[in-house]
Amino acid sequence: MVRARETNEEIEAIGYIRQSDQRQDKEDISELTQLRKIEQFCESNNFKLVKVFKDIDYSGFRIKYTKRPGLMDALKCIEDRPKVRKMIFFNLSRLTRLKKDFQELQGILNSHQVDICSASEFVDFSTPNGRLVAGFFVDLNEYYSDNLSEIVNDSKETNAKKGRWNGGPAPFGLVKTADGMGFEEVPERAYYVREIFRMAKLGKGPYLIARWLNEQKVYSLTGKEWTARRVRYMLTNPTYAAMQRWKGECYKLLVCPVLVSWDDFNYIQSTLFGKDKAWKGKERQLLTSVLICPECGSKMHSRYMSHSKQKRKYVCSRKTSMGAISCSSPNHDQESFEAAVINLIANMAEKKYGYESLIPEMKEDSDNNNSFSKLQDELANINNAEQKIFDDYYLHNKIEEHHYELSMRRYGKRKAEILELLDKIPLPQSKSFGDYNDAIQEFSELINELPNDDKRRSIELLVEKITPGAPAVVHFKWGETREIHPRSIEKFKKKLILY
């Protein structure tokens, strides 16, 4: 049963509604049904329902909870509104069907002193009885989803064999039929789909087709300009040939217009995307995934400087896909730019983690009240004290609510101070790594010896983005920025920056 605290203070609550796109019983657990149950729960327990958040057509099993916008808005509301003390669902499966996700969400809500409540099971998971059955409910929901996943896969295979659409958004140029089992064409867009496949059959590649579409002022379903990647995805989609791919096999769609014949579709796959034509990643350049044009914010790509194909440069992608007049940003010498970024990372590693940079908190200094070990011990003591206060209030009823809340606020404030101090102590945090200086020295030398593909992966792990210019600004994923100043600026047909 739900325990209402004996207090005159009104308890604020928020509701959360989720409905999966895979459910067959949508009427039994509809949005309105969930809302009414949440409202009844709040009324019977004297909770003030201040807001309700929704995620419609979002799975609680296949989609990570961080990718559900309604749930993330609910967590943001809890963070911004300290008076909220309850988060209420139709049942626990509406929050998540994964045990790992539930444990993470429970930790987040506990940190804000917000209780999880199930309106359908009529359980408050902040109570001893609630905590006892929470694990059982989560395990049961995960088992149900695992079993349902197998059933759905079997159902989709049957659908594919019978020529029915298996689900998902309609591709560009098509729209779903009323029953969702097939497609109808959108004439004004279907015309461009046919033109795209006609150009591809004539040997035009994705870059040229994307450029043509942008010149025609035709935009994608999301309202964005076309790129080679978007065109490539369209040209490899068998739906335009009234076929559906399921687990490596293609099946005929019974209700779908044919915008390209199956023979032409296969011809395009073999000529444009055959094994001998496929890009195997060997020529992928070092910085293309992190470079951002300083003028227009577009991605930047590598191109040869001249027909001799001896030297390369980084240029804005809008120049390559839409013509030189689309962006006025300068070009950047690839060889010198890559060398400058590699040297910057190597030098940072060597200086940041040398002996001379390790701050006193990492030393064995018993007189230092902010030493690493002492902060860790104090944090553990506070966690134990919080658990004791929690048990005294909820389990043993030894203390009053105002005493409980005052103690938890005091402990929370000190924990925040300790965590802030710990964040200022740099890695390494263990004394079992041996000679740090030698290890980091080896790393700074090794990064220059790695194959180009491994260098690229290393940079992607460390760097958020790079904005080239005079100077170029490197944004690291931990929030730090560094500048790289150019060695010279040369003027050919276009300004070229060397580093």
Side-chain angles (χ1 to χ4, degrees), residues 83-96:
K83 288 187 177 180
V84 173
R85 285 291 174 263
K86 303 286 181 180
M87 189 172 185
I88 305 168
F89 322 93
F90 177 83
N91 58 35
L92 191 59
S93 68
R94 299 304 89 202
L95 177 62
T96 181

Side-chain angles (χ1 to χ4, degrees), residues 359 361-362 417-427:
I359 63 175
E361 283 82 350
M362 295 303 297
E417 292 173 354
I418 293 174
L419 292 173
E420 186 177 352
L421 290 171
L422 288 172
D423 284 340
K424 294 178 180 178
I425 301 177
L427 291 175

Side-chain angles (χ1 to χ4, degrees), residues 169-389:
F172 181 86
L174 299 175
V175 64
K176 287 184 184 179
T177 55
D179 60 4
M181 294 298 179
F183 296 103
E184 298 172 352
E185 71 174 72
V186 181
E188 59 272 19
R189 289 178 177 169
Y191 163 77
Y192 290 103
V193 175
R194 290 188 174 94
E195 283 297 300
I196 287 170
F197 279 98
R198 185 187 66 81
M199 294 172 68
K201 187 179 177 182
L202 294 174
K204 306 294 185 184
Y207 274 103
L208 290 176
I209 296 174
R211 180 175 179 177
W212 175 77
L213 287 168
N214 292 326
E215 288 173 350
Q216 299 297 314
K217 304 297 183 184
V218 179
Y219 299 102
S220 68
L221 290 175
T222 56
K224 296 182 179 179
E225 292 179 339
W226 289 88
T227 62
R229 185 184 296 273
R230 291 176 186 272
V231 173
R232 189 179 293 111
Y233 176 78
M234 177 182 286
L235 291 173
T236 56
N237 188 349
T239 309
Y240 293 114
M243 300 290 284
Q244 171 176 219
R245 187 180 288 115
W246 175 249
K247 291 189 174 180
E249 297 290 333
C250 287
Y251 301 91
K252 180 73 177 175
L253 284 170
L254 294 180
V255 183
C256 184
V258 179
L259 301 185
V260 59
S261 70
W262 184 238
D263 288 341
D264 286 348
F265 180 82
N266 285 320
Y267 173 77
I268 292 170
Q269 307 314 301
S270 62
T271 54
L272 285 184
F273 308 112
K275 290 184 178 180
D276 57 331
K277 301 286 185 180
W279 174 70
K280 300 180 177 61
K282 293 182 179 178
E283 299 299 324
R284 188 170 179 183
Q285 305 303 313
L286 197 65
L287 305 178
T288 49
S289 60
V290 294
L291 278 180
I292 300 295
C293 175
E295 297 288 335
C296 65
S298 300
K299 289 283 188 179
M300 301 188 72
H301 298 302
S302 173
R303 293 290 179 267
Y304 283 109
M305 287 188 179
S306 63
H307 294 294
S308 62
K309 295 188 176 182
Q310 293 180 348
K311 298 195 70 176
R312 301 181 73 101
K313 60 186 176 183
Y314 283 114
V315 301
C316 176
S317 60
R318 290 176 65 88
K319 294 180 182 178
T320 61
S321 62
M322 299 181 62
I325 61 172
S326 301
C327 182
S328 59
S329 63
N331 301 328
H332 304 269
D333 177 64
Q334 178 172 322
E335 183 180 1
S336 62
F337 199 5
E338 291 177 351
V341 171
I342 291 293
N343 289 334
L344 173 68
I345 295 173
N347 291 335
M348 280 183 63
E350 186 172 357
K351 293 177 181 178
K352 192 174 182 66
Y353 297 110
Y355 277 127
E356 67 278 1
S357 297
L358 296 178
I359 63 175
E361 283 82 350
M362 295 303 297
K363 296 180 180 179
E364 293 184 356
D365 185 0
S366 59
D367 296 331
N368 187 355
N369 291 328
N370 287 335
S371 67
F372 182 80
S373 58
K374 288 188 176 182
L375 289 175
Q376 289 281 52
D377 291 342
E378 185 178 356
L379 187 62
N381 291 335
I382 290 177
N383 287 332
N384 292 334
E386 280 185 328
Q387 185 61 48
K388 186 178 185 306
I389 289 290

Side-chain angles (χ1 to χ4, degrees), residues 127-144:
T127 64
N129 289 337
R131 289 194 297 273
L132 178 65
V133 300
F136 170 75
F137 281 132
V138 173
D139 289 337
L140 185 63
N141 288 331
E142 192 166 49
Y143 166 77
Y144 170 80

Side-chain angles (χ1 to χ4, degrees), residues 4-18:
R5 296 176 184 172
E6 297 178 0
T7 176
N8 294 326
E9 183 182 356
E10 193 172 36
I11 297 177
E12 291 190 357
I14 63 171
Y16 176 70
I17 294 170
R18 183 186 65 78

Side-chain angles (χ1 to χ4, degrees), residues 15-17 27-44 49 52 54 88-90 119-120 122:
Y16 176 70
I17 294 170
E27 294 300 322
D28 297 334
I29 195 170
S30 67
E31 178 183 340
L32 184 59
T33 301
Q34 294 184 54
L35 178 60
R36 285 176 178 169
K37 195 73 175 178
I38 290 171
E39 290 174 340
Q40 291 171 5
F41 184 86
C42 289
E43 185 178 350
S44 64
L49 185 63
V52 176
K54 306 174 187 176
I88 305 168
F89 322 93
F90 177 83
S120 207
F122 215 73

